[in-house]
Amino acid sequence: HGMRYHFDGLAEVIRFSFDATGDGGRQSAPSLTWRSMPFESDAFERYQSCLFFGTGTGPTAGAHLCFTNPGVNLLPLRGPGAEQQLWLTIDTASWGRVDPQTLATLPGRAVVDSLVLNAHPACDGSACFVQHPCPKPGPGPVPGSPLTDQACFSLLRPTAGDLRTVLVSRATLPRKKLIQHSHSPCVTPRFVLAKLDSFGARSPLNTNGGMLRFLHQDEDDLWLLLERATNRSRVLSSGGARFVNNHFWNCFEDPRTAEVVVETVATTSEYLDLYSEPNLRAPMEWSRRFQAPLRCRVPTEGSAKAGVRCAPLSAAVNASLPFDYPTFNPLFKARHDYRFFYALAPSAADSKWFDQIVKVDVSRGGGAVAASWARPGVYVTEADFVPRTGSTAAAAEDDGVLLSVLYNSTTDSSSLGVFDARSLALVDQFGLGGVVPFHA
């Protein structure tokens, strides 16, 4: 309450549990239980007097900087002895840990010699990579400067208490970047890929507060490609394709060209302004926040091309009616023959927020909407794919369900929606007894 910027909201976790009991050989309708618990950070404990990055103040004028508030992503990891761990991330080194069953806050921190630690690691079944500005070379733990031309990849190593980082690669950029970060890097069997974004100065004549009044994300062209076998990184450029990468989803190695192919939700330097209260109240201008989604081809040492080449994903989608928060069947991660992804989209140019779930078939003209779901006055959140089986056959790619928390603006209430991934039909819905804010 009283917050003027969405991502300054306090970190809180919700855990949903489904249960279906059999009776006489017949399966009954599933039931849902859920619980939520805030992360016990300094922002939670001293909320009324915090200074926040997005607004500059909390509900009051603010008296001190609340740096720890890991409210970006959930990161499940396997710790020592197959222990299930759940970490909460943010784009600083101030990550947190909670018990995955009770959601109670646990002691533990991310150990890295950097003030910035990107909130979106790239993981597969064998490793979890994170990209961050490099620490200063030399003896002793000296955190890297927020303004640097050094970009690093590290591996995440969970311990019984903390989450440690192991530096595996360092590269020098052609110019220094401020608060360099990589939103949503991706991993293939042989490579890890990141789009290197950063912050730059802007005119302070805007309605934002805090850091975002004076800085915005720069639209840039630099990329970082790590070869996993050698731990060697290369800095690449996409030339005239300059954008902020909001989300990669699937990426894969093209067996014909030896390139890494990645698809991205490309945004403008004004994207983060979208979440400020004055802009949310104003008529939505989607094309001010989004560029057209792109499919980019990244050269490796085995490919014939030089430089990253980006082109529009499809003529069927554009910046005026964009999509975001893409998901897909996790069993098809890094597969070049994958077909489907799911995303949130506005149902019309004058939609106030994401009020539609779409299913996109990338085998049709690079990306055509195969199905969609929308209801008047209902807003949607990230639709996560749950496979029905463990099959990796092509015919099973869309055999699953999507889970999305829905907000009904007419009744001012939230529910958990369960959608058939093939047709996007709403197959079940569970009321949550209140309002759950937008989240990922």
Side-chain angles (χ1 to χ4, degrees):
H1 294 285
M3 191 57 67
R4 288 171 49 84
Y5 190 76
H6 177 81
F7 284 120
D8 282 343
L10 295 179
E12 185 161 347
V13 182
I14 300 178
R15 183 179 188 272
F16 297 104
S17 300
F18 293 92
D19 180 51
T21 57
D23 181 14
R26 294 188 303 173
Q27 191 82 355
S28 67
S31 61
L32 174 72
T33 58
W34 65 284
R35 65 185 305 167
S36 66
M37 188 173 292
F39 181 77
E40 296 178 6
S41 63
D42 55 353
F44 170 74
E45 293 169 355
R46 297 184 289 184
Y47 173 71
Q48 290 296 327
S49 60
C50 280
L51 290 166
F52 287 93
F53 287 106
T55 59
T57 64
T60 63
H64 61 274
L65 182 64
C66 292
F67 199 69
T68 304
N69 186 30
V72 176
N73 273 342
L74 301 173
L75 179 63
L77 292 173
R78 191 179 299 276
E83 176 195 25
Q84 295 294 324
Q85 297 185 1
L86 183 59
W87 289 84
L88 311 185
T89 75
I90 195 167
D91 286 310
T92 72
S94 298
W95 291 13
R97 182 182 172 191
V98 300
D99 185 291
Q101 300 299 320
T102 67
L103 307 184
T105 300
L106 298 176
R109 63 189 183 96
V111 181
V112 60
D113 296 331
S114 172
L115 300 175
V116 177
L117 187 63
N118 300 152
H120 304 76
C123 306
D124 61 14
S126 61
C128 211
F129 295 87
V130 66
Q131 199 277 312
H132 58 87
C134 298
K136 294 180 180 179
V142 182
S145 167
L147 180 64
T148 181
D149 63 356
Q150 300 295 300
C152 281
F153 276 116
S154 290
L155 281 167
L156 295 177
R157 300 289 193 210
T159 70
D162 294 332
L163 180 58
R164 301 196 170 271
T165 55
V166 179
L167 189 67
V168 295
S169 178
R170 175 190 292 261
T172 300
L173 309 180
R175 54 190 177 272
K176 289 185 177 181
K177 286 174 168 281
L178 177 64
I179 316 179
Q180 180 266 306
H181 58 284
S182 297
H183 205 263
S184 190
C186 64
V187 61
T188 73
R190 296 193 300 144
F191 300 97
V192 184
L193 177 66
K195 170 77 165 49
L196 300 179
D197 291 317
S198 61
F199 283 85
R202 69 185 303 180
S203 168
L205 300 178
N206 58 69
T207 59
N208 297 332
M211 182 183 78
L212 294 179
R213 183 174 182 181
F214 304 98
L215 299 174
H216 63 183
Q217 294 183 102
D218 280 336
E219 297 172 26
D220 208 340
D221 63 342
L222 294 184
W223 302 64
L224 188 64
L225 181 69
L226 168 68
E227 185 177 26
R228 297 176 66 172
T230 63
N231 285 339
R232 184 169 58 193
S233 292
R234 291 192 299 144
V235 179
L236 301 166
S237 170
S238 51
R242 303 172 68 89
F243 60 94
V244 177
N245 170 42
N246 206 41
H247 291 104
F248 290 157
W249 58 99
N250 210 358
C251 69
F252 54 86
E253 299 169 28
D254 188 328
R256 299 175 296 108
T257 65
E259 295 170 309
V260 175
V261 180
V262 62
E263 293 148 339
T264 171
V265 175
T267 66
T268 72
S269 59
E270 295 188 27
Y271 172 79
L272 288 178
D273 296 353
L274 182 66
Y275 295 91
S276 69
E277 184 182 41
N279 289 325
L280 287 171
R281 294 186 182 280
M284 185 62 72
E285 298 179 77
W286 294 101
S287 59
R288 283 188 59 186
R289 320 298 180 188
F290 288 87
Q291 299 187 31
L294 301 173
R295 179 176 289 112
C296 299
R297 307 186 72 89
V298 181
T300 67
E301 291 189 354
S303 59
K305 302 290 184 179
V308 179
R309 295 172 294 130
C310 296
L313 180 74
S314 163
V317 289
N318 56 58
S320 297
L321 284 174
F323 61 80
D324 203 357
Y325 299 94
T327 61
F328 59 97
N329 185 335
L331 300 177
F332 285 72
K333 187 181 181 76
R335 282 181 52 166
H336 72 275
D337 60 343
Y338 99 103
R339 282 187 59 188
F340 303 113
F341 71 88
Y342 305 84
L344 312 184
S347 62
D350 61 352
S351 292
K352 290 289 294 180
W353 193 244
F354 297 114
D355 55 0
Q356 180 178 218
I357 299 174
V358 295
K359 175 185 181 180
V360 180
D361 185 347
V362 297
S363 71
R364 294 167 49 191
V369 175
S372 63
W373 183 91
R375 294 292 184 273
V378 175
Y379 297 91
V380 296
T381 63
E382 182 174 304
D384 291 306
F385 192 104
V386 181
R388 280 197 177 93
T389 71
S391 174
T392 56
E397 183 177 353
D398 57 356
D399 184 16
V401 297
L402 302 174
L403 302 179
S404 175
V405 174
L406 313 175
Y407 171 67
N408 189 317
S409 60
T410 302
T411 61
D412 191 31
S413 62
S414 295
S415 61
L416 181 67
V418 182
F419 298 85
D420 179 80
R422 287 200 165 128
S423 65
L424 290 194
L426 180 63
V427 297
D428 219 332
Q429 190 171 5
F430 302 90
L432 300 179
V435 173
V436 177
F438 182 78
H439 60 277

